[in-house]
């Protein structure tokens, strides 16, 4: 059973999500919150598997709530946004969210996304995240982080990180580097572990933030 916490300052949105998710045999709504502060408190109380998190809310926005929830290991977070170029969604990814969805996402995709996040996968494909970062950071410039944090990687792991950031799947990376897919999975796991990253989406974000990949690069 996937335990879900709904967070949105619009009650009608929560009602809609509750109707869709409550109809699933493998999902249970454990609580609802109208702002980020309530979300953190309920996450601590109920320890849900996934928090479906709005980003623009009063008291405490979804970005800060996501950061607190993921830092404390309370739950995985799937953020919702109205626009696919919402800077709040990008900030949420940087702060630990496992992906983002548009609020007009069809119910079938919403359910599938929650199941994916609950199983440990990231919802947003690296290629989609890359386009988001390309467009957003290309406009804002973005502040780079110290690239020395990548020094813990071997040359091969750094190469794999670069290809992840370029949106390639494990199969595509294996083909490009003439490796088995199992070997690529091992390298990806080591990259995530060494850099203390939750998933491939976080790896893409970090690659941009450290300048390993720059907006607009192929």
């Amino acid at each position: 059973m996937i335990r879900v916490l709904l967070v949105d300052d619009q009650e009608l949105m929560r009602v809609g999500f509750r109707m869709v998710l409550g109809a699933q045999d493998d999902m249970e709504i454990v609580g609802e919150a109208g702002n980020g502060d309530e979300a953190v408190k309920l996450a601590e109380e109920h320890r849900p598997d996934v928090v479906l998190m709005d980003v623009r809310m009063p008291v405490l926005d979804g970005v800060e709530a996501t950061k607190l929830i993921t830092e404390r290991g309370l739950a995985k977070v799937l953020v919702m946004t109205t626009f696919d170029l919402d800077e709040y969604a990008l900030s949420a990814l940087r702060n630990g969210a496992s992906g983002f969805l548009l609020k007009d996402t069809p119910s079938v995709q919403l359910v599938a996304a929650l199941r994916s996040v609950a199983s440990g996968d990231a919802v947003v494909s690296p290629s989609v995240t890359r386009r988001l970062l390309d467009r957003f950071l290309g406009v804002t410039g973005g502040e780079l982080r110290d690239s020395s944090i990548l020094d813990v990687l071997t040359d091969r792991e750094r190469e794999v990180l670069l290809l992840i950031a370029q949106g390639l799947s494990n199969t595509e990376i294996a083909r490009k580097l003439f490796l088995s897919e199992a070997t690529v999975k091992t390298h990806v796991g080591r990259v995530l572990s060494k850099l203390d990253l939750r998933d491939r989406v976080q790896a893409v974000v970090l690659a941009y933030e450290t300048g390993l990949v720059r907006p607009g690069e192929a």
Side-chain angles (χ1 to χ4, degrees), residues 2 9-10 12 50 83 85-86 88 91 100-101 122 137 141 147 168 174 199 206 213 215:
I2 300 172
D9 63 337
Q10 297 181 41
L12 286 177
V50 184
F83 305 103
L85 253 185
D86 194 328
Y88 288 93
S91 296
F100 72 92
L101 290 176
L137 296 183
S147 62
L168 275 65
D199 51 45
L206 182 64
V213 177

Side-chain angles (χ1 to χ4, degrees), residues 91-123:
S91 296
L93 290 176
R94 285 171 164 164
N95 282 286
S98 295
F100 72 92
L101 290 176
L102 298 182
K103 284 193 173 181
D104 61 358
T105 297
S107 58
V108 173
Q109 293 181 23
L110 169 62
V111 171
L114 282 167
R115 288 176 179 144
S116 294
V117 170
S119 68
D121 292 332
V123 170

Side-chain angles (χ1 to χ4, degrees), residues 7 50-55 62-63 65-67 76-82 86 88-93 96-103 105 110 114 117 123-124:
V7 184
V50 184
V51 177
L52 190 59
M53 179 80 74
D54 188 18
V55 287
V63 175
T66 294
K67 182 178 181 180
K76 296 180 176 66
V77 177
L78 177 59
V79 299
M80 301 175 295
T81 180
T82 305
D86 194 328
Y88 288 93
L90 176 58
S91 296
L93 290 176
S98 295
F100 72 92
L101 290 176
L102 298 182
K103 284 193 173 181
T105 297
L110 169 62
L114 282 167
V117 170
V123 170
V124 186

Side-chain angles (χ1 to χ4, degrees), residues 142-213:
E143 295 184 6
L144 293 180
R145 293 174 58 180
D146 184 358
S147 62
S148 65
I149 62 176
L150 302 181
D151 291 347
V152 296
L153 302 178
T154 65
D155 290 341
R156 176 63 85 188
E157 290 165 352
R158 192 182 184 95
E159 189 174 18
V160 168
L161 174 59
L162 175 61
L163 295 176
I164 291 173
Q166 292 176 342
L168 275 65
S169 66
N170 284 355
T171 301
E172 292 168 331
I173 294 174
R175 189 181 304 122
K176 189 175 184 68
L177 298 181
F178 302 100
L179 299 171
S180 70
E181 192 166 344
T183 299
V184 171
K185 288 181 179 179
T186 298
H187 285 311
V188 172
R190 287 174 179 168
V191 168
L192 298 181
S193 177
K194 287 184 176 182
L195 297 176
D196 194 25
L197 301 172
R198 293 177 179 85
D199 51 45
R200 295 171 72 99
V201 172
Q202 294 291 304
V204 176
V205 173
L206 182 64
Y208 271 78
E209 291 182 330
T210 55
L212 183 64
V213 177

